Amino acid sequence: MAKLNMGPVKAFSIMKTIFSGFEKVGSNKVDFKNYKRQINLFIGEYDAKMVVRYLHEKKQSQPNFSYNYFTDDDYRLKGLFWCDDQCKLLVAFSGLTIYVLLFFVFKYSMVFVPSTCIDNHHCVGDQPKVVLTDQDPTMKKTISVVGIRLYNSTDFKECICGVVWMDILTPEEFESCCEKVMEEFNIVDNDWLSDIFALRESWILTYYRIEFLLGHMRTTSRFESENHFFGQICNAKSTLVEFMAHYETAIEAQCHKHRKNDHESRYKCSELKSNYRVLESQASKIYTKKKISRYTN
């Protein structure tokens, strides 16, 4: 139950259901809490060393598993990276776009930064061509900097969105149009806008016209979905050992879901819904059920 990120109180309640009564569990909530505390005491100062050793052992049994870490001058763990064989295969297969999120977790104030891609069922080798990250916290601060007047201005929104999301513009045309908008609304001297404009090649759609993005840059729903998924395994009080157990359980569940989707797409016939049944039938044998449903609903 600890691997599923369940606390001792919830674990005790589940055990009561399994054994059909609190009196049959053989212990009480305090015992569960004490046992959890004893485990953490056992882990103690060896937390980081245990995780690194675990990853090293995985590398010995799985040659294509990768991991790396670095420490400070006092040999304290400062950063850790790992990627298993299954993840590499998924990225090589469908990793045109990588999503990067930030989670502040662990009692050590460390940050968890998962990099995820969309598989062929649209659930969550080569270097990715596009990396997306959510700048939402920065945007919230910017609203007060740029001003409520501009933020609520329909004219400004239409003008700036017409430039930012216009993928038929060349980079030169985009830069010219963007400068005109900034001059028109008198925001040329705004520090944040100047900084974000300087980074335009990293986020403006026109610079990625030749990449197959599937509209990923137009929505935050992907990040919200990933936040929900990883938020279930992140705990500010977790040790590194606990977090690794939570992470691997979640990834195992995700891999199971992927295999299930694969099986259903291969062996289950989709219900034909369009008027072009012959074409739809042929497409259903080539594309996944998720892909077909997006175009027939």
Side-chain angles (χ1 to χ4, degrees), residues 190-231:
N190 182 273
D191 291 337
W192 181 85
L193 285 174
S194 298
D195 290 342
I196 206 68
F197 182 73
L199 298 172
R200 57 192 178 279
E201 294 184 14
S202 298
W203 68 280
I204 293 297
L205 192 60
T206 187
Y207 294 95
Y208 296 90
R209 290 180 301 159
I210 62 174
E211 306 297 348
F212 186 54
L213 297 178
L214 292 171
H216 297 330
M217 295 181 72
R218 297 174 181 266
T219 177
T220 60
S221 60
R222 295 290 181 193
F223 293 105
E224 291 165 0
S225 175
E226 297 298 291
N227 268 292
H228 173 73
F229 176 77
F230 286 107

Side-chain angles (χ1 to χ4, degrees), residues 57-268:
E57 291 172 353
K58 287 197 71 169
K59 176 65 177 176
Q60 300 304 307
S61 60
Q62 303 175 29
N64 205 29
F65 179 84
S66 299
Y67 82 98
N68 205 347
Y69 68 95
F70 65 95
T71 61
D72 61 15
D73 294 335
D74 295 320
Y75 301 102
R76 291 177 297 194
L77 184 67
K78 299 296 291 183
L80 179 66
F81 169 84
W82 72 94
C83 185
D84 62 30
D85 189 45
Q86 182 69 17
C87 291
K88 290 181 181 180
L89 287 173
L90 285 173
V91 170
F93 176 68
S94 57
L96 289 174
T97 306
I98 295 292
Y99 295 86
V100 178
L101 306 100
L102 298 179
F103 291 89
F104 292 89
V105 295
F106 313 125
K107 58 183 180 181
Y108 315 110
S109 299
M110 296 180 74
V111 181
F112 173 46
V113 188
S115 298
T116 64
C117 66
I118 303 173
D119 65 18
N120 55 323
H121 300 285
H122 295 271
C123 305
V124 166
D126 295 328
Q127 180 175 342
K129 297 178 181 178
V130 180
V131 176
L132 299 184
T133 186
D134 192 356
Q135 202 184 25
D136 196 44
T138 308
M139 292 297 292
K140 289 179 180 178
K141 293 180 182 179
T142 307
I143 292 172
S144 60
V145 175
V146 176
I148 298 298
R149 178 184 61 82
L150 273 181
Y151 181 68
N152 291 328
S153 170
T154 302
D155 292 339
F156 173 72
K157 288 180 180 178
E158 289 181 353
C159 289
I160 198 67
C161 288
V163 174
V164 171
W165 299 119
M166 187 64 68
D167 54 2
I168 63 173
L169 296 176
T170 65
E172 293 76 17
E173 290 172 334
F174 161 77
E175 292 174 9
S176 175
C177 292
C178 193
E179 288 173 356
K180 288 180 181 178
V181 172
M182 294 173 73
E183 289 174 0
E184 178 181 349
F185 290 90
N186 195 28
I187 51 177
V188 175
D189 296 328
N190 182 273
D191 291 337
W192 181 85
L193 285 174
S194 298
D195 290 342
I196 206 68
F197 182 73
L199 298 172
R200 57 192 178 279
E201 294 184 14
S202 298
W203 68 280
I204 293 297
L205 192 60
T206 187
Y207 294 95
Y208 296 90
R209 290 180 301 159
I210 62 174
E211 306 297 348
F212 186 54
L213 297 178
L214 292 171
H216 297 330
M217 295 181 72
R218 297 174 181 266
T219 177
T220 60
S221 60
R222 295 290 181 193
F223 293 105
E224 291 165 0
S225 175
E226 297 298 291
N227 268 292
H228 173 73
F229 176 77
F230 286 107
Q232 297 178 80
I233 67 173
C234 294
N235 187 329
K237 298 180 181 179
S238 292
T239 63
L240 290 170
V241 171
E242 287 178 306
F243 171 78
M244 186 60 71
H246 300 165
Y247 169 84
E248 294 205 325
T249 299
I251 295 300
E252 184 181 347
Q254 193 79 338
C255 289
H256 171 74
K257 182 178 181 180
H258 179 79
R259 291 192 296 268
K260 179 176 178 291
N261 289 335
D262 266 352
H263 179 83
E264 290 184 351
S265 289
R266 284 194 176 99
Y267 303 110
K268 289 188 177 181

Side-chain angles (χ1 to χ4, degrees), residues 11-43:
F12 177 72
S13 298
I14 292 174
M15 293 293 284
K16 168 260 178 185
T17 303
I18 293 174
F19 291 107
S20 302
F22 287 114
E23 67 282 354
K24 297 181 181 179
V25 175
S27 56
N28 54 42
K29 292 181 181 179
V30 176
D31 295 327
F32 272 58
K33 292 179 180 179
N34 288 341
Y35 185 68
K36 176 68 181 297
R37 183 166 59 250
Q38 289 170 7
I39 291 176
N40 288 342
L41 288 173
F42 173 78
I43 294 172

